[in-house]
Amino acid sequence: MKLAMIGFGQAGGKIVDKFVEYDRGTGSDVVRSAIAVNTAKADLAGLEYVPERNRVLIGQARVKGHGVGADNELGAEIAEEDIDEIQGAVDQVPVHEIDAFLVVAGMGGGTGSGGAPVLASHLKRIYTEPVYGLGVLPAEDEGGIYTLNAARSFKTFVDEVDNLLVFDNDAWRETGESVRGGYDRINDEIVRRFGMLFSAGEVGQGEEVAESVVDSSEIINTLSCGGVSTVGYATEQVDTAGGGLLGRFSDEELDATETTNRITSLVRKAALGRLTLPCEVRSTDRSLVVVGGPKDHLNRKGIERGRKWLENETASMEVRGGDYPMADTDRVAAVTLLSGVTDVPRIKDLQGVAVETQDNIEAIEEESEQNLESLVRDDGDELEALF
């Protein structure tokens, strides 16, 4: 699948930067164009792989390159005002070569949280290609204002894209991690999962062709139901040539029962394990499963059995699946895309906390105004203001 990726804000820019690194390392050629948009000059300067010509600084007249300070209303306003500057970078995208746009943003901050929905709406007005979002939810302990930002951004973003792929930081945080180490690891997890999903079906010269190809149309059809999507991933190391299983058997003698069972087990782990956004699997509208790894370990019967299991588990008739032969790897991995999920407790909790936070902010602001008035009030009416 060929994508034009646009990272909006600090988190979005870093994730797109990581996608470009992954793309170069694997040779998957998924990222046809990479753009980073931000109100903070320092964040853009910290990127390594997004070309400098594609780093767009917006809001200079308003915030002087220092960011919006977690004010996502300001972030949305600046995106609206400077949309022509962003479009200038998008104009360089070879749109005839891409399958979709992917707008990536952290939903708890200010720039990406506010600006990403604005950009998505703009792209949908101009282009016929699908516009997807990849939104990252903040962890619960990041504070009420970030939760409120995320809830408001989520509500807007999901309405402006053809499908919103979500990654929940709260489900992936580990105790004792440094902030930087935690975010770096989480970004790796994001790119590994979505990178394998989007690169499925890509075949280079001289590489093995899948028996059941999962190409861009399969992914687009799975995401076409709209709403919210989540991705699962599971992997297992296998013995490759030179020892172990392949050292004992020839290619023809590779145990079909073992490969079938392994694939079925990996599909189950991917769907029922740690999803990018935890949800009730049975609330899925459409789904897709991709199994990748050394060609000798990709068993058609196992993939079909895994697809059938997923169909039963999701109670959906639209379950697509296929294999993705990968050279130079000793691991078999399964990726499941669950699209149009509706039973998501985390979103309900997020919205509840956000409403409470919003009420508290309003109450605090009102009390603060009263306290200030009390502080400066001159009961004797003896003082005159300067003007």
Side-chain angles (χ1 to χ4, degrees), residues 123-383:
L123 293 173
K124 284 191 69 176
R125 285 198 304 269
I126 296 177
Y127 301 100
T128 57
E129 286 74 17
V131 178
Y132 303 126
L134 172 52
V136 181
L137 297 178
E140 286 185 9
D141 61 4
E142 289 187 44
I145 186 62
Y146 296 99
T147 299
L148 177 58
N149 281 350
R152 296 182 69 193
S153 180
F154 178 89
K155 181 180 177 67
T156 313
F157 206 6
V158 75
D159 287 338
E160 299 298 342
V161 293
D162 291 294
N163 199 297
L164 181 59
L165 303 150
V166 182
F167 191 97
D168 180 16
N169 272 348
D170 206 53
W172 292 83
R173 290 281 292 273
E174 293 184 359
T175 56
E177 270 187 328
S178 67
V179 173
R180 181 182 179 84
Y183 285 130
D184 285 345
R185 181 184 58 78
I186 285 171
N187 288 348
D188 286 338
E189 298 285 2
I190 292 172
V191 172
R192 184 179 300 116
R193 282 154 178 74
F194 291 103
M196 180 175 169
L197 172 67
F198 292 131
S199 61
E202 290 296 325
V203 181
Q205 189 171 3
E207 294 180 350
E208 299 280 2
V209 179
E211 287 191 38
S212 180
V213 177
V214 175
D215 58 19
S216 59
S217 64
E218 303 284 335
I219 299 173
I220 289 170
N221 286 335
T222 303
L223 294 172
S224 64
C225 62
V228 176
S229 293
T230 180
V231 170
Y233 177 85
T235 184
E236 183 177 309
Q237 190 165 1
V238 295
D239 292 317
T240 52
L245 191 60
L246 289 183
R248 296 193 301 271
F249 302 104
S250 67
D251 290 348
E252 290 74 26
E253 294 172 321
L254 192 60
D255 193 332
T257 302
E258 181 177 343
T259 57
T260 299
N261 291 341
R262 175 186 290 118
I263 289 171
T264 307
S265 175
L266 283 173
V267 173
R268 289 173 62 95
K269 288 178 183 177
L272 300 179
R274 194 156 56 160
L275 298 168
T276 59
L277 176 67
C279 70
E280 173 51 57
V281 173
R282 207 162 185 81
S283 71
T284 303
D285 189 337
R286 302 179 185 182
S287 56
L288 177 144
V289 57
V290 180
V291 181
K295 184 174 177 61
D296 296 329
H297 290 267
L298 300 182
N299 179 291
R300 188 183 183 92
K301 183 178 179 181
I303 294 170
E304 182 55 33
R305 186 178 291 178
R307 192 200 63 77
K308 187 65 178 176
W309 173 86
L310 189 59
E311 186 176 292
N312 293 332
E313 193 70 17
T314 60
S316 167
M317 296 304 294
E318 291 199 49
V319 180
R320 297 168 173 83
D323 59 304
Y324 177 33
M326 301 168 68
D328 302 322
T329 182
D330 61 352
R331 306 192 75 84
V332 174
V335 172
T336 56
L337 169 62
L338 307 180
S339 181
V341 296
T342 54
D343 189 351
V344 188
R346 172 73 167 106
I347 297 300
K348 295 296 182 185
D349 292 344
L350 182 83
Q351 292 169 335
V353 172
V355 169
E356 183 180 341
T357 300
Q358 186 169 270
D359 291 342
N360 288 341
I361 288 174
E362 290 173 357
I364 290 170
E365 287 177 348
E366 184 178 344
E367 183 181 354
S368 178
E369 288 178 9
Q370 292 172 352
N371 289 340
L372 177 60
E373 185 180 345
S374 175
L375 176 65
V376 301
R377 185 173 59 215
D378 174 20
D379 292 330
D381 228 7
E382 297 174 357
L383 293 175

Side-chain angles (χ1 to χ4, degrees), residues 29-52:
D29 197 29
V30 168
V31 186
R32 190 63 187 84
S33 184
I35 298 169
V37 183
N38 212 319
T39 57
K41 190 174 183 179
D43 291 341
L44 290 175
L47 302 177
E48 297 181 47
Y49 298 95
V50 175
E52 285 196 29

